[in-house]
Amino acid sequence: MFDKIAFANIIKNIKETYSSQEEFSKISGIGRTYLSQYMNMKLNDPPMPKILEKLSNASHNITSYEELMIICGYIVGSNSSPDGLGVNSLDDSSNKSSIFLVPVLEKIVRGQSLSSEQFLEGYLAVDPNFYGMISPDDYFYLKVSGDDMNLKVHNGDYVLIHMQDFADDGDIVVAFVDGVDEAIIRKYSKINDELVMLEGVSTFSIKPIVVSLKGSSFSVLGKAVGSFGKF
């Protein structure tokens, strides 16, 4: 749950470390009006994680990204943690799981490294136990654009992708296809040993894409393993 009061107090405390709210806004990269609305508790929804990251970076060590994620309700603080910044694992054991910060990508463009910051929107905290994660380096969130998959995920949602270069029949994959420079999200269906079909899963009629596994630029970037609503 979003704690508006605690969040407002943190922003006010950070503002006091600057000569003016204008300077605070300029250094943080967050609009003055936007900051004022949260300081005056006018907004009921928390900021996106990428805004929290900017805020923590400009906080002069008053707060951390993890603390802001807890206050804004994205992750859950552990009652057993002395500083209130721990995170509950999925069981009641004393070994609390670490939190993985998974990058959130607006889109993926052919020839652009996944580690590039050009399309990086921020990071989303994930409990690795929930998905059986071993390393955060093997995952990313990708923003859904369009309604090709609206029976699974909606436009503007974020799909959690496990990076891999193969897929099984029925998997939801992120892939590059011939003639398209931006990666797409589709259902992977095997036709035979040489051909696969990428299908939409939608309330709309989406023309499937048939691709060759040989002699084309088709490549699988990863498989969808989870999703997160708009944030």
Side-chain angles (χ1 to χ4, degrees):
M1 180 178 293
F2 177 37
D3 189 337
K4 291 196 298 183
I5 297 176
F7 190 65
N9 287 334
I10 285 177
I11 296 180
K12 290 174 184 177
N13 289 336
I14 296 173
K15 183 180 75 70
E16 293 302 315
T17 67
Y18 289 90
S19 61
S20 65
Q21 188 166 324
E22 183 177 3
E23 182 189 24
F24 178 21
S25 173
K26 182 178 179 179
I27 297 298
S28 66
I30 306 171
R32 290 175 59 187
T33 301
Y34 194 65
L35 290 169
S36 294
Q37 286 176 318
Y38 277 112
M39 280 191 282
N40 294 312
M41 294 180 285
K42 299 293 185 181
L43 301 178
N44 294 321
D45 295 323
M48 293 185 294
K50 64 180 181 180
I51 297 295
L52 302 183
E53 185 179 23
K54 289 181 177 182
L55 191 60
S56 65
N57 290 338
S59 72
H60 294 146
N61 296 320
I62 285 178
T63 189
S64 66
Y65 180 66
E66 186 179 21
E67 180 181 32
L68 293 175
M69 290 288 282
I70 292 170
I71 289 173
C72 289
Y74 290 112
I75 59 179
V76 182
S78 168
N79 293 330
S80 64
S81 175
D83 59 5
L85 300 183
V87 179
N88 284 331
S89 62
L90 297 183
D91 56 38
D92 293 327
S93 66
S94 59
N95 294 323
K96 300 298 179 181
S97 65
S98 299
I99 282 296
F100 285 174
L101 294 179
V102 177
V104 179
L105 305 180
E106 178 188 0
K107 58 183 176 180
I108 302 172
V109 175
R110 195 187 298 274
Q112 184 76 47
S113 169
L114 291 178
S115 61
S116 170
E117 294 189 356
Q118 182 175 355
F119 300 116
L120 179 67
E121 291 196 349
Y123 294 86
L124 186 61
V126 179
D127 185 334
N129 285 342
F130 193 76
Y131 294 104
M133 293 178 171
I134 296 175
S135 168
D137 295 335
D138 295 333
Y139 295 84
F140 63 88
Y141 274 99
L142 180 62
K143 187 175 183 178
V144 175
S145 177
D147 294 309
D148 290 3
M149 300 295 295
N150 70 13
L151 288 176
K152 291 288 186 180
V153 287
H154 300 99
N155 183 41
D157 285 353
Y158 294 80
V159 180
L160 179 62
I161 304 297
H162 176 255
M163 287 188 281
Q164 57 188 60
D165 59 4
F166 63 92
D168 295 320
D169 193 51
D171 285 346
I172 304 299
V173 300
V174 174
F176 282 126
V177 297
D178 285 338
V180 181
D181 288 333
E182 187 174 329
I184 62 172
I185 303 175
R186 291 288 181 94
K187 179 183 176 182
Y188 179 100
S189 297
K190 186 175 180 180
I191 298 175
N192 54 43
D193 290 339
E194 295 186 357
L195 297 174
V196 297
M197 183 164 56
L198 301 178
E199 303 175 275
V201 183
S202 175
T203 55
F204 297 95
S205 178
I206 306 297
K207 183 178 180 180
I209 302 171
V210 177
V211 298
S212 172
L213 297 177
K214 299 179 180 179
S216 75
S217 61
F218 169 71
S219 61
V220 173
L221 302 178
K223 168 187 173 180
V225 296
S227 64
F228 188 88
K230 298 176 182 64
F231 66 96

